[in-house]
């Protein structure tokens, strides 16, 4: 009787060990799944969520986007997109508005398209922009001196970098001119000029590219 009982005891022991193993396995898989789902939700929220929101916002103004493949390695390939009729450069899209408006109306016009008046951060950007312009006109920039005390400010709060200023010679020269435009003056040069905010000018809008 005792000899018959012993295998049963051993079987019970094996059975308990199995249950414990399964229990650990199920808990581990559950935890892994939870982590996986959480990271998917977070990734979705930060990438697709944000892009999706911007896309649907922009869809109210634009029926289509033009996208270019960016990134040097195959694994880094993304699509950088601008609305049709906007010009891509770096991580931004640019729109040259040929309708003349006051400075504040120009900014409103850009905001209405999901953009802002242009902020020039580098010489390369300035060089790109002037290639898009017509030498017969002035174009408002997202740069103003609201107090008329020479404290020029970019519209997106970008610090006004001493090394990235392209004023024409002897400009700015008049404290009542509190808005900046870019203009072609002979002999042969594009540069910035302080301008009256309530003159009507063409303008340049800038928005960040949409990455897909
Ligand atoms: C620039 O604007 C003038 C005046 O509207 C126009 O005659 C000329 O064709 C334009 N130039 C270019 C390069 O678009
Ligand atoms: C500022 O410079 C512009 C262009 O050189 C000139 O036409 C204008 O008269 C100047 N304004 C003042 C107040 O000096």
């Amino acid at each position: 009787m005792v000899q018959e009982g012993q295998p049963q005891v051993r079987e019970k022991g094996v059975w308990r060990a199995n249950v414990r193993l399964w229990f650990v396995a199920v808990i581990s898989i559950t935890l892994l799944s939870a982590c996986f789902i959480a990271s998917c939700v977070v990734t979705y929220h930060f990438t697709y969520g944000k892009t999706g929101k911007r896309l649907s916002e922009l869809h109210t103004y634009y029926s289509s986007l033009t996208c270019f493949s960016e990134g040097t390695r195959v694994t880094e390939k993304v699509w950088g997109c601008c609305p049709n009729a906007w010009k891509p450069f770096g991580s931004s899209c640019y729109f040259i508005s040929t309708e003349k408006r006051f400075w504040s109306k120009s900014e409103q016009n850009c905001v209405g398209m999901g953009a802002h008046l242009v902020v020039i951060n580098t010489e390369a950007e300035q060089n790109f922009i002037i290639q898009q312009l017509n030498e017969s006109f002035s174009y408002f920039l997202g740069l103003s001196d609201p107090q008329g005390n020479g404290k020029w400010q970019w519209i997106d709060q970008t610090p006004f970098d001493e090394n990235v200023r392209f004023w024409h010679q002897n400009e700015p020269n008049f404290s009542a001119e509190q808005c900046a435009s870019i203009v072609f003056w002979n002999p042969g040069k594009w540069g910035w000029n302080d301008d009256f905010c309530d003159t009507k000018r063409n303008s340049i809008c800038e928005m960040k590219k949409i990455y897909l």
Side-chain angles (χ1 to χ4, degrees):
M1 294 296 258
V2 175
Q3 278 174 331
E4 274 173 22
Q6 265 177 340
Q8 254 180 341
V9 169
R10 204 180 300 138
E11 251 170 53
K12 240 184 212 168
V14 169
W15 187 79
R16 270 209 205 107
N18 268 342
V19 166
R20 211 174 296 138
L21 205 70
W22 275 105
F23 185 72
V24 168
V26 166
I27 292 286
S28 305
I29 289 169
T30 307
L31 280 176
L32 279 173
S33 308
C35 287
F36 180 73
I37 290 166
S39 83
C40 285
V41 167
V42 167
T43 307
Y44 178 83
H45 183 76
F46 278 101
T47 57
Y48 304 101
K50 254 190 207 158
T51 305
K53 187 160 166 281
R54 247 199 102 201
L55 270 179
S56 68
E57 274 168 16
L58 289 178
H59 191 67
T60 49
Y61 323 115
Y62 310 105
S63 53
S64 54
L65 301 172
T66 304
C67 303
F68 293 93
S69 176
E70 293 182 12
T72 46
R73 275 183 256 150
V74 178
T75 49
E76 289 172 356
K77 281 269 184 287
V78 287
W79 294 91
C81 308
C82 290
N84 288 359
W86 290 62
K87 300 269 169 46
F89 178 78
S91 57
S92 293
C93 313
Y94 301 83
F95 180 76
I96 312 301
S97 172
T98 54
E99 202 167 311
K100 293 176 182 55
R101 299 182 177 87
F102 298 147
W103 187 82
S104 60
K105 294 284 177 195
S106 300
E107 169 63 3
Q108 272 177 32
N109 176 52
C110 294
V111 168
M113 295 189 287
H116 280 287
L117 278 173
V118 67
V119 172
I120 298 177
N121 303 93
T122 62
E123 190 167 3
E125 187 180 13
Q126 160 102 354
N127 289 337
F128 166 78
I129 287 164
I130 61 180
Q131 287 166 29
Q132 318 301 320
L133 307 179
N134 183 321
E135 294 173 6
S136 310
F137 302 107
S138 299
Y139 300 80
F140 274 133
L141 306 174
L143 182 62
S144 66
D145 173 18
Q147 267 88 54
N149 57 2
K151 292 199 172 128
W152 291 87
Q153 323 180 336
W154 289 114
I155 201 148
D156 69 345
Q157 315 299 325
T158 294
F160 190 49
D161 187 342
E162 257 179 66
N163 300 316
V164 190
R165 299 182 185 185
F166 306 104
W167 295 109
H168 274 296
Q169 204 168 8
N170 304 322
E171 301 293 345
N173 66 350
F174 190 22
S175 62
E177 295 180 323
Q178 297 174 5
C179 290
S181 57
I182 186 165
V183 57
F184 186 86
W185 280 345
N186 282 315
K189 204 171 179 324
W190 283 98
W192 304 350
N193 178 38
D194 55 345
D195 209 341
F196 290 107
C197 300
D198 57 356
T199 49
K200 290 188 174 177
R201 299 292 189 207
N202 291 1
S203 53
I204 308 162
C205 302
E206 177 181 4
M207 71 163 80
K208 289 282 149 215
K209 274 183 189 166
I210 301 143
Y211 288 102
L212 298 178

